[in-house]
Amino acid sequence: MSRKPDPTQRPTLRTVAEISGLAVTTVSRALADDPKIAAKTRARVAEIARQVGYTPDRAAQRLRTGKTRVITLILDGTQERIRFGSTVISGLTRALQGTDYHLTVTPHFHADDSQGTVQNIVRNNLADGLVFSRVKPFDERVRFLSERGFPFACHGRTEFSRPHPFVDFDNEAFANMAANRLIDAGVRRICMIMPSERFTFHQHLNYGLMRAVRQHGVDYVIPQEITLDSSLDEINAWAQAIAAAPDRPDGFICPGEAAYIALMSGLRAAGLERGRDFCAVVKASSRLLKQIEPRVDVIYEDIEEAGFLLGQHVLAAINTPDAPPEQTIQKPLADLGQKPG
């Protein structure tokens, strides 16, 4: 190495070149992983860049290549899954490690969809790829991005005939597994708190539940007064009201931890106890619920892995746009006790 870097100056390609004794163009090609540069040289340049804290000038890159080197996550503000945002971000960050892409997060807390946000990002070239969730059967965001050939990966499926990148949880299998678990416990009337009908996973949950109740001939109820998007206070109040009903359910399926916590709070306030008066199965995305209620039946959705897969899929859409889109359906991971309750 010909000289030590000046800690007061922002490291540049020239800094790395002077330390390595190589030409700036050689350093640039090495950091771009050009196979024409020897692997040993590429590794040495990458290590020097890491040591001095060199990061590419993204503004200059954008002017030169038209690329932002940004992946944007449009993060929905719903409360159904505890720590969903931080967990999916962790997975996405893991997928982007070792690439020259970095992650930005655009929060979206409105009741309507994020179509306007998507259009703004695409039309103003604010990212090279998008990740979003809460997908509808004929989602306008998917249509818009597909028609423009803009790389994306969504958490959830659509019913479009044209395939697109996605990662989805097998909600049909979850609902069927949960319903059969309750039926095995002797439940006669199952209640499942559902998402809004406008989302695709409402249909998948419904299919799984219907398959089980029709097979075994048990009764069921789907609340019309509340959904997974209802506030915790609304779910709590509904639970207290239904606890006094003569035909109240004796088994509950909650496709979200937050809804379950509100439900349990309301039923307990009405004098009911899980295991004695009713059974429950919960879809969880964290281990927090097991800390609160170790004996509750839980079926896990691995959100961190979903984030990692979403990152991989959107990178594939960017790097190999002509290849078939990558699609993953995650399987439920059950944590069920010996005795349903």
Side-chain angles (χ1 to χ4, degrees):
M1 297 186 183
S2 59
R3 73 170 182 86
K4 293 182 179 180
D6 183 348
T8 65
Q9 299 295 318
R10 180 181 183 275
T12 64
L13 280 176
R14 186 169 296 280
T15 308
V16 178
E18 290 178 352
I19 295 171
S20 65
L22 299 170
V24 172
T25 54
T26 303
V27 168
S28 177
R29 291 169 59 195
L31 290 174
D33 208 24
D34 186 338
K36 294 181 179 179
I37 303 297
K40 186 176 180 180
T41 300
R42 281 181 277 157
R44 176 168 167 258
V45 170
E47 177 60 19
I48 293 171
R50 186 192 65 79
Q51 289 178 357
V52 301
Y54 167 77
T55 56
D57 186 331
R58 297 190 182 277
Q61 278 189 337
R62 183 170 178 175
L63 287 172
R64 186 175 67 254
T65 67
K67 296 289 187 180
T68 65
R69 302 298 177 189
V70 169
I71 304 295
T72 293
L73 167 66
I74 301 177
L75 184 61
D76 188 89
T78 54
Q79 62 189 0
E80 74 190 55
R81 289 169 288 191
I82 295 173
R83 296 182 62 243
F84 174 83
S86 60
T87 307
V88 78
I89 288 170
S90 176
L92 279 165
T93 301
R94 182 161 62 92
L96 299 183
Q97 283 179 347
T99 75
D100 56 355
Y101 284 92
H102 74 282
L103 181 68
T104 64
V105 179
T106 299
H108 185 80
F109 294 101
H110 302 296
D112 57 356
D113 65 26
S114 54
Q115 174 75 352
T117 303
V118 168
Q119 291 178 350
N120 180 62
I121 291 170
V122 173
R123 289 169 177 166
N124 291 287
N125 192 29
L126 301 179
D128 294 337
L130 284 176
V131 175
F132 53 91
S133 61
R134 308 280 282 181
V135 174
K136 300 177 182 179
F138 297 98
D139 200 294
E140 287 302 317
R141 298 168 298 178
V142 172
R143 188 196 306 275
F144 175 81
L145 294 168
S146 297
E147 288 176 350
R148 283 155 183 77
F150 191 91
F152 73 95
C154 53
H155 191 229
R157 283 169 276 175
T158 68
E159 294 184 3
F160 289 124
S161 58
R162 180 177 180 177
H164 61 82
F166 70 77
V167 176
D168 199 10
F169 179 71
D170 195 338
N171 282 289
E172 181 176 349
F174 157 76
N176 189 258
M177 186 186 300
N180 279 304
R181 176 68 171 175
L182 294 175
I183 292 166
D184 288 344
V187 165
R188 298 192 175 193
R189 193 164 200 246
I190 299 174
C191 172
M192 181 158 64
I193 300 177
M194 295 282 265
S196 167
E197 292 184 0
R198 68 182 186 270
F199 298 121
T200 309
F201 77 118
H202 173 101
Q203 299 176 7
H204 298 159
L205 289 167
N206 191 59
Y207 296 154
L209 175 63
M210 291 300 100
R211 203 151 43 88
V213 299
R214 287 169 181 164
Q215 179 182 356
H216 297 282
V218 299
D219 194 12
Y220 73 96
V221 58
I222 295 175
Q224 300 302 305
E225 304 91 338
I226 59 167
T227 70
L228 288 178
D229 288 338
S230 298
S231 72
L232 300 184
D233 287 342
E234 289 170 335
I235 296 173
N236 184 299
W238 174 85
Q240 293 192 52
I242 201 173
D247 60 345
R248 65 172 172 81
D250 56 346
F252 293 89
I253 301 175
C254 292
E257 303 129 296
Y260 171 73
I261 291 171
L263 171 75
M264 280 295 299
S265 179
L267 294 177
R268 283 175 176 165
L272 304 183
E273 288 294 331
R274 182 182 57 80
R276 184 191 70 192
D277 302 299
F278 64 91
C279 302
V281 180
V282 187
K283 183 172 79 171
S285 56
S286 74
R287 301 287 168 174
L288 178 61
L289 188 57
K290 277 290 187 177
Q291 296 295 320
I292 300 171
E293 292 205 51
R295 294 177 61 84
V296 69
D297 283 338
V298 169
I299 298 175
Y300 287 104
E301 177 180 4
D302 193 337
I303 297 297
E304 200 276 341
E305 182 66 11
F308 176 74
L309 292 167
L310 285 165
Q312 287 193 320
H313 292 4
V314 74
L315 287 174
I318 292 170
N319 295 326
T320 55
D322 296 328
E326 297 193 5
Q327 302 175 331
T328 303
I329 298 177
Q330 293 180 290
K331 298 302 180 183
L333 305 172
D335 186 356
L336 308 175
Q338 294 299 312
K339 182 179 179 182

